[in-house]
């Protein structure tokens, strides 16, 4: 079992930055692929970024490439999402997720989810 708790969301102006954190429980954190997803009102959940257990591989959704960076600290059981050059269309609830399948892009493959944190980007 893995429990995930996100933090760091909030309100920011367009062009600004936010850093999300996700704290994970469990002794085998480094064995899980970690991902960030987001869901805006009336839209489907969208892949934002994913990182391998070692942190050596990272993947990003097309809409955030070059602006967002995913990282992890296995000693702290934590994963982060640094979001720069934020746009109003980045407004969504952001979710941290974990899976043990070595899968990155599909939310169907993730077993554990945090409760989500709201990020709002004003124009």
């Amino acid at each position: 079992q893995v429990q995930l708790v996100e933090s760091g969301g909030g309100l920011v102006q367009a062009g600004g930055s936010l850093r999300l954190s996700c704290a994970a429980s469990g002794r085998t954190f480094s064995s899980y692929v970690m991902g960030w997803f987001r869901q805006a009102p009336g839209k489907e959940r969208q892949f934002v970024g994913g990182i391998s257990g070692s942190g050596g591989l990272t993947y990003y959704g097309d809409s955030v490439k070059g602006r967002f960076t995913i990282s992890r600290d296995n000693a702290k059981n934590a994963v982060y999402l640094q979001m720069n050059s934020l746009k109003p269309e980045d407004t969504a609830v952001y979710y941290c997720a974990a899976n043990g399948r070595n899968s990155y892009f599909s939310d169907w493959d993730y077993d554990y989810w945090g409760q989500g944190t709201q990020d709002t980007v004003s124009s």
Side-chain angles (χ1 to χ4, degrees):
Q1 277 282 22
V2 177
Q3 292 184 322
L4 304 171
V5 179
E6 302 98 335
S7 60
L11 174 65
V12 66
Q13 288 188 331
S17 298
L18 282 174
R19 185 180 191 233
L20 304 184
S21 299
C22 175
S25 66
R27 296 177 293 174
T28 58
F29 177 71
S30 63
S31 68
Y32 288 92
V33 165
M34 299 299 297
W36 286 97
F37 290 78
R38 68 185 183 186
Q39 189 166 22
K43 295 188 177 181
E44 292 186 352
R45 192 155 53 189
Q46 180 186 42
F47 172 75
V48 175
I51 188 167
S52 63
S54 68
L57 292 174
T58 56
Y59 300 94
Y60 297 94
D62 288 341
S63 61
V64 307
K65 281 180 183 176
R67 300 188 298 122
F68 290 13
T69 303
I70 188 171
S71 62
R72 67 190 296 162
D73 185 337
N74 287 340
K76 295 182 179 180
N77 277 18
V79 63
Y80 308 99
L81 185 67
Q82 178 66 44
M83 305 186 292
N84 298 329
S85 302
L86 283 161
K87 305 174 182 179
E89 51 264 42
D90 294 319
T91 296
V93 177
Y94 283 74
Y95 297 91
C96 170
N99 84 75
R101 296 181 176 83
N102 201 34
S103 176
Y104 292 89
F105 305 103
S106 173
D107 57 354
W108 288 98
D109 290 332
Y110 284 79
D111 304 301
Y112 305 103
W113 292 84
Q115 81 287 352
T117 181
Q118 174 71 51
D119 294 338
T120 302
V121 184
S122 63
S123 57

